[in-house]
Amino acid sequence: MQIENFIDGKFTTPRNGTYLDNYNPATGEVITKIPNSDNEDVELAVKAAQKALPSWADLPRIKRVEWLRKIAKALELRKDDIAMTESMDTGKPISLAKRVDASRSIANFEFFAEHAEKLVDEEYEMADATNYVIRKPVGVVGLITPWNLPLYLLTWKIAPALVMGNTIVAKPSELTPLTANLLCEVLTSIQFPSGVINVIHGLGPSAGQAILEHPQIKAISFTGGTSTGKIVAQTAAPMFKKLSLELGGKNATIILDDADLPTAAKGAARAAFTNSGQVCLCGSRILIDSKIYDEFMPLLIKEVKAMKVGNPAKENTDIGSVISHTHMEKVLSYVDLAKQEGGKIATGGGRIILPKPNSNGAFIEPTIVEGLSIDSRCATEEIFGPVASVHQFTSDDEAVRMANITEYGLAGSVWTSDLTRGKSLAEKIESGILWVNTWLHRDLRTPFGGVKNSGVGREGGDWSLNFFSELTNVCVKDE
Ligand code: TXE
């Protein structure tokens, strides 16, 4: 199978005629070839987006809301196809792809349709004047997304950008192009206006960089690693593009001594190993009150050992492969480093070789490391795989200090039976999101994003609508 760029409503071959192999990481097999696009392809996409912009921007917002609902309905008809495609492209279990990726990709369109429909234009009265705020689209926007939740994170940006009247040049990760391609097929099937959404496939430094550098692309919404985020910022900031950066994380799961330990053990294991730990919100550091450490650890290990690592196409698989052999080597190198840093493997710690058809897949067993210092490299660098470290604390204040020690500040969770204590602790953690007695429980109206090296800006609800709008205040003096 070979996929193409999607430009001006047509599937279009790359100008340079070159393609890249795309693999199924759970089998090691090449599944498709994708365009190895460069700035010439991005130029074509930007021209198409510019041509489509006036009529799309001039549509009444309610008409754009209707288009979002049409896309959601059409995606709903292909929900199983989305899940199977995402599972094949990422190696994630089909159950997770159904429950999270496919359903949320559709929900993003439904949510932003409703949220934009309810948007009221603001007015501010003065004694002798009236101010009213008008929203205009930013224009042509660039969306660059990662491989861990491919369609979920792409539609998280596409939906608000569309409904606020912008046209789009999007580049999914070269590791996971397939569901973006499926979305383009769906857009074609419902005769979505050509040129409003354009999808360019290819590598970051060539196709991605060309999007960052293009003078007619007025905003960049980027989700990916912190190091790439720096490159994005260096390129886009001097061009005064609007910038939203959703980057890495090294999140703490804090278990207080009064927590319901069996529930907290389930929650901590889920937070650490969902999607093989390849979610920026994962709780990769588990901080445990020393008073209950000996009681809690066996419960946690039991939960982790019960997670079935297997063929992601099977419904009863809990843990699939990681995204690639390269990433597997990176994650396993951190397990080696953990041992050098004085850590002890409490469970897991190695690659798993499964029977055919997965014998060449990139599978790592869920791993817990004990005994690392809180400022060790393994406990402060983002591993982004199924490896979590556990640490003890003796007071709530120490737990806060440990949680805040890394350069990241994205998310975390606190487990306790005393909600006042939990909220007090949550409010002291330097992060953008903090759950109490739950994890990855999402209300899409809330602000999403991180502090420190986890990013700049917030998306979600009004924050997304504001990012993808230019606001003008008109102040009219009373007669
Ligand atoms: O990121 P990369 P990955 C983070 C997660 C992890 C990373 C994993 O924490 O660190 O994302 O995704 C393109 N110019 N989050 O490895 O490599 C690249 O082609 C322009 C945080 O994919 O940064 C891909 O499309 N583009 C997040 C995209 O950038 C470039 C939630 C991301 O690639 C480029 C999910 C360049 N020079 C994952 N180089 C959150 N906080 O919400 C690469 N790209």
Side-chain angles (χ1 to χ4, degrees):
M1 182 185 163
Q2 180 172 302
I3 65 172
E4 305 297 356
N5 290 328
F6 186 67
I7 300 175
D8 205 14
K10 292 183 284 302
F11 289 100
T12 311
T13 55
R15 295 302 84 195
N16 63 24
T18 61
Y19 289 81
L20 303 162
D21 286 340
N22 173 48
Y23 294 84
N24 172 342
T27 63
E29 286 158 1
V30 175
I31 29 177
T32 45
K33 290 191 176 304
I34 72 165
N36 181 17
S37 304
D38 59 26
N39 56 328
E40 286 187 43
D41 306 293
V42 168
E43 182 58 31
L44 285 178
V46 172
K47 283 205 168 27
Q50 283 178 302
K51 188 177 72 173
L53 183 59
S55 49
W56 183 251
D58 291 349
L59 270 183
R61 192 182 299 154
I62 190 62
K63 290 292 177 199
R64 295 195 295 264
V65 164
E66 284 167 15
W67 269 118
L68 261 62
R69 291 191 167 123
K70 268 186 210 155
I71 296 171
K73 277 199 180 62
L75 285 172
E76 183 69 33
L77 297 175
R78 298 198 59 183
K79 196 170 185 175
D80 286 347
D81 195 3
I82 293 170
M84 281 188 301
T85 304
E86 206 72 291
S87 173
M88 182 175 66
D89 219 1
T90 60
K92 72 176 70 191
I94 185 69
S95 59
L96 181 67
K98 281 180 182 168
R99 188 176 68 250
V100 173
D101 298 72
S103 50
R104 188 49 206 283
S105 298
I106 297 163
N108 284 341
F109 285 105
E110 292 163 341
F111 167 74
F112 280 110
E114 184 180 355
H115 202 71
E117 202 171 34
K118 289 179 186 163
L119 195 59
V120 290
D121 295 332
E122 295 143 84
E123 279 200 5
Y124 300 93
E125 290 297 339
M126 299 168 79
D128 60 351
T130 298
N131 297 273
Y132 61 96
V133 179
I134 52 174
R135 288 173 180 276
K136 296 174 189 166
V138 175
V140 177
V141 298
L143 311 179
I144 299 179
T145 45
W147 47 254
N148 57 331
L149 298 155
L151 192 58
Y152 166 139
L153 288 171
L154 179 59
T155 60
W156 177 242
K157 300 175 189 292
I158 285 183
L162 279 186
V163 81
M164 297 319 286
N166 302 281
T167 53
I168 291 165
V169 177
K171 193 201 81 66
S173 172
E174 58 279 18
L175 300 178
T176 53
L178 293 184
T179 44
N181 186 64
L182 190 153
L183 173 65
C184 298
E185 289 172 355
V186 165
L187 294 174
T188 308
S189 71
I190 58 173
Q191 292 83 45
F192 187 72
S194 299
V196 175
I197 296 178
N198 303 277
V199 175
I200 296 290
H201 294 284
L203 300 172
S206 43
Q209 192 73 24
I211 292 173
L212 298 181
E213 292 170 359
H214 199 291
Q216 299 312 319
I217 291 183
K218 302 298 184 191
I220 300 286
S221 176
F222 172 79
T223 298
T226 292
S227 54
T228 312
K230 285 179 185 163
I231 297 172
V232 174
Q234 279 163 355
T235 311
M239 300 175 79
F240 297 106
K241 294 176 190 246
K242 287 187 86 168
L243 203 47
S244 169
L245 297 174
E246 304 283 352
L247 306 178
K250 189 70 178 184
N251 312 304
T253 300
I254 301 171
I255 315 294
L256 297 182
D257 62 339
D258 63 359
D260 168 348
L261 296 188
T263 303
K266 269 190 192 341
R270 177 172 163 261
F273 299 112
T274 294
N275 204 36
S276 292
Q278 299 169 130
V279 180
C280 55
L281 301 166
C282 276
S284 49
R285 297 181 293 148
I286 305 170
L287 313 184
I288 306 161
D289 190 309
S290 54
K291 292 190 278 307
I292 46 101
Y293 187 82
D294 293 339
E295 190 184 349
F296 181 76
M297 277 303 285
L299 298 172
L300 176 64
I301 301 296
K302 180 167 164 276
E303 289 298 331
V304 176
K305 285 190 178 303
M307 291 178 161
K308 183 177 177 347
V309 180
N311 180 344
K314 296 269 187 281
E315 284 291 349
N316 65 343
T317 291
D318 301 309
I319 306 272
S321 75
V322 294
I323 189 64
S324 67
H325 278 262
T326 308
H327 191 56
M328 177 179 72
E329 296 309 330
K330 173 186 168 186
V331 174
L332 291 174
S333 75
Y334 271 101
V335 177
D336 293 342
L337 176 63
K339 295 171 191 165
Q340 291 160 28
E341 292 189 302
K344 187 170 75 58
I345 305 296
T347 184
R351 179 184 182 182
I352 292 188
I353 303 291
L354 294 175
K356 286 190 182 316
N358 303 108
S359 47
N360 189 26
F363 294 88
I364 302 174
E365 48 193 344
T367 299
I368 297 266
V369 186
E370 280 186 288
L372 283 171
S373 70
I374 194 68
D375 60 357
S376 63
R377 281 188 55 204
C378 276
T380 51
E381 294 177 14
E382 182 183 53
I383 299 171
F384 214 56
V387 178
S389 54
V390 295
H391 309 268
Q392 296 188 50
F393 62 85
T394 55
S395 72
D396 290 11
D397 287 348
E398 187 188 15
V400 169
R401 273 195 307 280
M402 290 166 77
N404 290 338
I405 199 173
T406 75
E407 64 183 25
Y408 294 101
L410 183 57
S413 63
V414 181
W415 298 78
T416 175
S417 58
D418 176 346
L419 294 187
T420 307
R421 188 180 171 198
K423 286 190 279 189
S424 153
L425 221 128
E427 289 159 18
K428 292 174 190 148
I429 308 286
E430 294 162 359
S431 76
I433 304 135
L434 226 289
W435 285 285
V436 178
N437 294 334
T438 186
W439 178 75
L440 205 61
H441 196 39
R442 292 275 294 116
D443 180 329
L444 305 187
R445 294 169 298 178
T446 59
F448 180 95
V451 297
K452 303 197 289 187
N453 288 13
S454 288
V456 176
R458 294 293 184 275
E459 295 187 352
D462 289 347
W463 287 271
S464 292
L465 300 188
N466 286 334
F467 178 74
F468 288 113
S469 307
E470 285 300 0
L471 303 176
T472 303
N473 178 49
V474 178
C475 176
V476 182
K477 187 81 172 53
D478 296 345
E479 283 161 325

